[in-house]
Amino acid sequence: MKYGRYEIIEELGRGTMGVVYKAHDPQIDRMVALKVLREDRVVSQEFVVRFLREAKAIGRITHPNIVTVYDVGQDHGTIYIAMEYLEGRPLNDVIKGRRFPVEEAVNICSQVAEALGYAHGRGITHRDIKPSNIILTPDNRIKLTDFGIARIEDPDAAQQTQAGDILGTPVYMSPEQVLGKTADGRSDLYALGVIAFEMVTGQRPFDGGNIAAIFQSITHQAPPDPMALGGCGSRTLADLILRSLAKKPEDRFQTGEAMAAALKRCLDSDSHPFPEMTRRPVKAAASKKRVLAALAGVLLTLAVAMIGIQMLRKTPPPPPLKHPPWRLRNQPPN
């Protein structure tokens, strides 16, 4: 079977929007990953628009950690995108049943953060960051894939997404996505924080028996401390992850570059992952020390006073004077 000039070799996977095949491009004799819009989605103009948006989104960017798009076309009544064929495993397969060492988790997440920073700088928000969209190559490089629901920040284009339309995979969605609010690059960095949490602890920060329970946790519950769950091994990395999972976007990292730099600093035990936040904790610690020192001084003074009182009570009174104290020693009595 062919789509355009591409000869289908085998199916690689299926998603909510399409099917991905391994295919051969005879024109330049190379293998490609061919993503084809599912036939049942073709009847929906909204999904067609989103599918074409994926090609437009990743076709605009060139980055070593983002999959390369070669071509887009139509055949058999549907639409296809020819992309770089990747050798490797999706991160969701690698994560299963293990906890990552800090250095390995930092290496993977910092690559994702840098790729997202690059895309965000060009007006592209992924909005569906999850382990299955991150391919880990044999040489431990990552490739970010599937910009199928990416939002292009094009002021001249009509808004394609309806208000309140919830996109993304529930457990990795940010609070603003759950609430149907506008998602930007900080939503992608939130999802990366969820992935980092999962990598170092072996579990997700928010979970539940159904979507409603998951959404309730995401919007209202504080995530557990990764250090308390074991496996994290780094206080600075744990603090970084918790910052990434802040409910308010303004309390998270504002750019992928900033998050990547902070991740790399986690490997330096003498540095803080986000220097701009070091002043407040240091000041708070110094203030606490001053209060404790003052309290210790008060307690010491009280202790000395109590000892003095006890000693006075046990000391016998002095003997009576033979002569009134005002008489001179050489003055005879009357």
Side-chain angles (χ1 to χ4, degrees):
M1 183 178 179
K2 290 185 177 181
Y3 283 92
R5 69 175 186 267
Y6 304 100
E7 301 170 353
I8 302 300
I9 305 298
E10 62 178 325
E11 182 179 317
L12 297 176
R14 290 176 175 264
T16 57
M17 292 182 64
V19 184
V20 180
Y21 298 99
K22 179 180 180 181
H24 180 251
D25 182 355
Q27 194 171 55
I28 51 178
D29 192 22
R30 69 177 169 191
M31 292 297 174
V32 299
L34 198 72
K35 185 167 185 179
V36 181
L37 184 65
R38 279 171 37 182
E39 293 181 4
D40 60 323
R41 298 302 192 191
V42 177
V43 297
S44 169
Q45 183 62 29
E46 179 184 4
F47 272 86
V48 171
V49 169
R50 288 182 187 168
F51 193 87
L52 292 175
R53 185 185 302 159
E54 175 177 355
K56 179 182 178 182
I58 55 179
R60 285 170 50 182
I61 55 182
T62 302
H63 190 276
N65 295 122
I66 299 176
V67 67
T68 302
V69 169
Y70 300 133
D71 189 21
V72 61
Q74 291 182 275
D75 200 1
H76 299 292
T78 187
I79 307 167
Y80 62 83
I81 300 175
M83 300 178 290
E84 175 185 7
Y85 177 73
L86 301 173
E87 295 284 353
R89 300 171 62 195
L91 189 58
N92 59 309
D93 286 349
V94 182
I95 284 179
K96 287 180 181 177
R98 64 170 295 199
R99 290 176 176 173
F100 285 70
V102 169
E103 186 172 355
E104 189 175 356
V106 165
N107 176 50
I108 291 173
C109 291
S110 61
Q111 290 184 61
V112 177
E114 287 174 347
L116 288 173
Y118 178 88
H120 298 161
R122 283 147 186 80
I124 300 168
T125 306
H126 191 289
R127 294 205 298 167
D128 195 21
I129 295 297
K130 57 187 177 183
S132 61
N133 284 336
I134 300 170
I135 303 298
L136 188 61
T137 66
D139 59 351
N140 287 322
R141 291 187 304 112
I142 70 98
K143 284 282 190 174
L144 193 55
T145 69
D146 199 357
F147 281 78
I149 56 175
R151 178 171 63 87
I152 308 300
E153 294 178 0
D154 185 354
D156 298 325
Q159 180 58 260
Q160 300 290 347
T161 304
Q162 295 180 0
D165 186 17
I166 294 179
L167 303 173
T169 303
V171 73
Y172 300 100
M173 291 172 66
S174 65
E176 58 269 23
Q177 286 176 290
V178 170
L179 297 173
K181 297 180 180 179
T182 300
D184 58 24
R186 295 170 296 182
S187 301
D188 287 346
L189 299 179
Y190 175 96
L192 179 55
V194 176
I195 293 172
F197 188 104
E198 189 174 358
M199 291 177 72
V200 299
T201 68
Q203 64 187 68
R204 293 166 175 171
F206 306 109
D207 224 328
N210 52 57
I211 291 180
I214 294 173
F215 283 179
Q216 174 70 16
S217 298
I218 290 172
T219 54
H220 291 91
Q221 293 182 10
D225 187 344
M227 290 291 288
L229 299 177
C232 184
S234 168
R235 181 69 261 169
T236 53
L237 179 58
D239 289 342
L240 183 151
I241 292 172
L242 292 174
R243 179 180 178 183
S244 304
L245 299 178
K247 303 300 182 189
K248 297 179 180 179
E250 57 268 27
D251 293 334
R252 304 174 203 148
F253 291 99
Q254 300 301 293
T255 67
E257 291 84 355
M259 186 171 180
L263 279 162
K264 292 174 182 177
R265 286 196 296 271
C266 286
L267 301 179
D268 181 1
S269 60
D270 295 328
S271 68
H272 196 279
F274 17 92
E276 68 273 17
M277 296 185 67
T278 58
R279 296 176 182 174
R280 282 178 291 176
V282 169
K283 188 179 292 185
S287 177
K288 185 177 180 180
K289 286 183 179 179
R290 287 196 295 271
V291 171
L292 290 174
L295 181 60
V298 171
L299 292 175
L300 180 61
T301 302
L302 290 174
V304 172
M306 292 297 295
I307 292 172
I309 291 172
Q310 292 297 325
M311 291 180 66
L312 287 174
R313 287 179 178 175
K314 292 180 180 179
T315 303
L321 295 173
K322 293 181 180 181
H323 304 291
W326 59 84
R327 289 185 182 276
L328 296 175
R329 184 175 297 176
N330 57 359
Q331 182 179 355
N334 292 329

